[in-house]
Amino acid sequence: MLISLIVPCYNEEEAMPLFYREASRVAEQMKTSHGADFEFIFVDDGSRDGTLATARRLHDEDPRVRYVSFSRNFGKEAGIYAGLQAARGDYVATMDADLQDPPALLPDMLDALLTGDYDCAATRRTTREGEPPVRSWFARLFYRIINRMSDTEIVDGARDFRLMSRRMVNAVLEMSEYNRFSKGIFSWVGFKTRWFDYKNVERVAGKTKWNFWSLFQYSIEGIVGFSTAPLVMAALAGVIFCLAAFVGIIFVIVRALLFGDPTSGWPSMVCIMLLCSGVQLFCLGIVGEYLAKTYLEVKHRPVYITRETEADRDARRGNP
Ligand code: UDP
Ligand code: MG
């Protein structure tokens, strides 16, 4: 039985050795308890620091370590996809390099899959300690909105740390879309998932790659990728405004017939015009967002471009 650990890394030279040490410890433990072999796949997402050098060094020291290095930064979702494509394991786990996803949970997760009842063991954090309150508030709001809008369930607090069976990995790989929102993809493919709760852990080294703006874009990505409800809402807004305009017209006509006062009230008319054109632009923006995603999708660009893998390194050094 082979287990692949996929670790997307963007500027993680400090965290990688710590991750490797902890993961090897768990691997050793699981070799005796489950008879499981491991491979570690570090995906260097166009890092600017020594991430690639660290991956090469770890590979030289331990052949279980493999790596894929991108030609530039393609984002964490692309990293996960590349890792899934490279993985050879019967079971595949995706986890962060910063040890916020504790490898110590892996034995329990594997036990859940070995019962045969589940194809996926996923984790969610029960607290958001160590996170700015404003961010937590927006995160909760995002989960409320997306779950209202989308048929695909996106679990609040779910991390990207999960262990999957080969069946499920193959299903995820079949979704070769360009705009990848992993939380949605993992949920969309279905299969039974066993959830593991744990307390939020702070990263061991380095710093987070996300700021408020990138998280906002990520949330739009999720909504546009897994729901068309905003389009329906735009159409609905149009209907409501038409009805309001119809009532207004009747009111104005009746009033003019009864009182003969056709010219008053132009300031209110300006307000109405501004409001209506605002709503129009907003709805056009929603349509544009979907059009943009469609545009990127139909170009069929690759999700990522590889610059180097451990196989290239072995070939250059004359290893088999
Ligand atoms: N990551 C990546 N590409 C990116 C941004 C992040 O591969 O463009 C990786 C990063 O190296 C880490 C994981 O994604 O292993 C999660 O990132 P981070 O810890 O910064 O996110 P947070 O835990 O703060 O949500
Ligand atoms: Mg992190």
Side-chain angles (χ1 to χ4, degrees), residues 7-12 43-47 70 73-77 79-80 95-101 125 131 135 159-160 200-201 203 207-210 215:
V7 191
C9 300
Y10 180 52
N11 298 342
E12 300 282 8
V43 184
D44 164 34
D45 187 9
S47 304
F70 288 174
N73 181 254
F74 281 90
K76 182 183 176 186
E77 308 290 336
I80 291 179
M95 47 208 309
D96 289 2
D98 55 10
L99 287 177
Q100 282 190 304
D101 304 330
R125 47 184 183 175
E131 198 184 55
R135 190 193 268 201
R159 295 196 49 92
D160 287 337
N200 194 23
V201 191
R203 65 159 45 237
K207 47 183 195 302
T208 178
K209 314 299 181 298
W210 300 89
L215 282 174

Side-chain angles (χ1 to χ4, degrees), residues 102-273:
L105 284 174
L106 283 170
D108 286 342
M109 293 163 78
L110 183 60
D111 281 336
L113 296 198
L114 287 178
T115 61
D117 293 336
Y118 300 96
D119 278 291
C120 178
T123 58
R124 69 184 155 209
R125 47 184 183 175
T126 47
T127 58
R128 287 181 171 271
E129 264 163 50
E131 198 184 55
V134 188
R135 190 193 268 201
S136 301
W137 189 82
F138 274 106
R140 294 234 165 76
L141 182 71
F142 163 68
Y143 284 109
R144 263 213 309 277
I145 291 179
I146 193 165
N147 280 317
R148 232 346 117 74
M149 286 184 178
S150 172
D151 294 336
T152 309
E153 194 195 359
I154 314 286
V155 176
D156 187 1
R159 295 196 49 92
D160 287 337
F161 176 25
R162 33 178 90 224
L163 181 68
M164 291 169 277
S165 66
R166 180 42 59 185
R167 259 197 299 271
M168 174 150 170
V169 172
N170 288 344
V172 171
L173 284 176
E174 271 186 47
M175 299 183 71
S176 56
E177 59 212 66
Y178 181 78
N179 297 289
R180 302 190 72 79
F181 181 69
S182 286
K183 287 180 202 303
I185 290 177
F186 289 138
S187 170
W188 191 91
V189 294
F191 295 106
K192 264 184 125 176
T193 301
R194 166 88 197 271
W195 288 96
F196 288 83
D197 293 340
Y198 71 101
K199 273 209 171 135
N200 194 23
V201 191
E202 304 226 2
R203 65 159 45 237
V204 280
K207 47 183 195 302
T208 178
K209 314 299 181 298
W210 300 89
N211 56 36
F212 190 80
W213 179 237
S214 60
L215 282 174
F216 179 72
Q217 283 177 317
Y218 182 67
S219 62
I220 298 290
E221 186 109 333
I223 292 173
V224 173
F226 282 87
S227 164
T228 47
L231 291 173
V232 178
M233 275 156 41
L236 218 64
V239 172
I240 291 172
F241 271 75
C242 282
L243 284 179
F246 189 65
V247 172
I249 289 168
I250 298 206
F251 172 74
V252 169
I253 291 176
V254 170
R255 191 181 62 176
L257 286 177
L258 292 184
F259 305 106
D261 180 22
T263 50
S264 76
W266 85 266
S268 56
M269 190 150 89
V270 170
C271 294
I272 291 169
M273 273 171 60

